[in-house]
Each structure stands twice: as C-alpha cells, then as structure tokens.
Amino acid sequence: VTCSSPTAGGPFTQTISFTSNAYMMDTSSITARCEIADTDLEVDPTPFDFGEVRVGSPTAELAFTLRNPSATASLVIHSMRLSSSSAGLSLDAPINTNVTLGPGEVRSARLLLDSGTEVDLAGHSLLISVDSSMLSFPITGKVVRAHVRVVPEELDLGTACVDSQVIGQVLMINDGTATLTMQRPTMTNSF
C-alpha cells in the first residue's frame, strides 16, 4: 500500500477489504490513513519496523537519515521525538530546538530497542516537526519471549498386539510470544 501525491493534503482514508474462503467467504478489512505534508524533507528508510526481537538479544537499532534534497532552500526541523515513552524504545538523537538543514545536508539518527523485557510497539510513532508540517512515522515491532512446552512429558503407548497399531498424541505448544518455526520431530530409535 502506498500513499503519494504531488500536492499537500489529507488526511486521506481508504478501506481495504480482504476475502478468503477460510470460513463461509470470510471477509476482513483494515483502514489505511495517510497525509501528504508540505515539506521536501526526506526520511530514509521507512517504515520503522523492528519485527520480532527476542528477549535478551543485543539492542536492536534502526538507523535513518534526514535529508534536505533542495539545491537552494534550507529546512528547519523544530523537533524530532517519540510520540510516547515505552520500555526499551529510545531515539539516540532527539531534536528539541530548531535545527537548520542546508541545501543537500544530511543528518543521521537511530531508533534503539532494548530487549530486556517484552514490549509491543504498536501505536508508537516518530514525530518530526519541520517547517510548518508535523510528520508522523509509525514504529512497529515487538520484543518477544520464545518458549514452548511439550504435552505430555512422557507418552505411554501401553501394549501393542502383533499387526495392530497403538496411537498416541503429543502436542508442542507455543506458550511464549515469539513466532516459532517447528522442525520435524526425530526419534532416538524406531520401533
């Protein structure tokens, strides 16, 4: 989904519907919103998505640049901050007073995500006030805990008669918050 326009405007809202045959032609929809700001400032890259970061892993970072593409005019960045505080999310170079970006000038910054505790970044944004516009860039991702358990811990199949089969069921349950990839089970001996 992209949002672009040669002129400033908005906010623009669009409903996107998805249909599948999962259950009686199940239909879901989402609402997409965007606004076109009256500024030439380039923020690269976007979107800001940390994906899934495991608890205890090294601090995750998303580096980005602010660039004035103009060959003649300066831009004034009044502020750059996070929309709200969250455990573990920080901006390494916030801007609290006016900063001028001259023609062609670039400024670097990083979003940092500490993996000490589980957190969901839904609803967080990077806010940049530039010239007369307020830019808002959503920040997504999670710090997750990987954990599974197998039930039952021991499987007693009892006695099987010749040419008959005894069947048991073992479940692997994802009781953590991480998305996991399960490998094919292996056995020490075949019987």
Side-chain angles (χ1 to χ4, degrees), residues 40-124:
D40 289 331
L41 180 70
E42 293 178 353
V43 180
D44 187 53
T46 59
F48 298 118
D49 182 13
F50 283 97
E52 285 191 3
V53 177
R54 301 282 175 99
V55 169
S57 63
T59 298
E61 68 175 62
L62 292 175
F64 63 97
T65 58
L66 306 173
R67 181 177 172 271
N68 179 357
S70 175
T72 57
S74 294
L75 295 172
V76 178
I77 300 174
H78 306 291
S79 67
M80 180 171 69
R81 62 183 176 82
L82 298 174
S83 61
S84 57
S85 63
S86 173
L89 181 64
S90 61
L91 175 62
D92 79 335
I95 296 173
N96 299 314
T97 58
N98 290 349
V99 171
T100 301
L101 280 184
E105 192 175 346
V106 176
R107 183 179 179 117
S108 297
R110 295 179 303 158
L111 289 169
L112 305 170
L113 181 59
D114 180 67
S115 63
T117 59
E118 291 179 83
V119 67
D120 186 345
L121 299 177
H124 287 76

Side-chain angles (χ1 to χ4, degrees), residues 155-158 160 164-166 168 186-191:
L155 182 63
D156 185 354
L157 296 174
S164 67
Q165 236 180 11
V166 179
T186 59
M187 292 174 40
T188 53
N189 299 308
S190 60
F191 60 91

Side-chain angles (χ1 to χ4, degrees), residues 118-137:
E118 291 179 83
V119 67
D120 186 345
L121 299 177
H124 287 76
S125 298
L126 174 66
L127 302 176
I128 303 172
S129 174
V130 56
D131 293 332
S132 61
S133 300
M134 177 59 83
L135 310 180
S136 176
F137 298 94

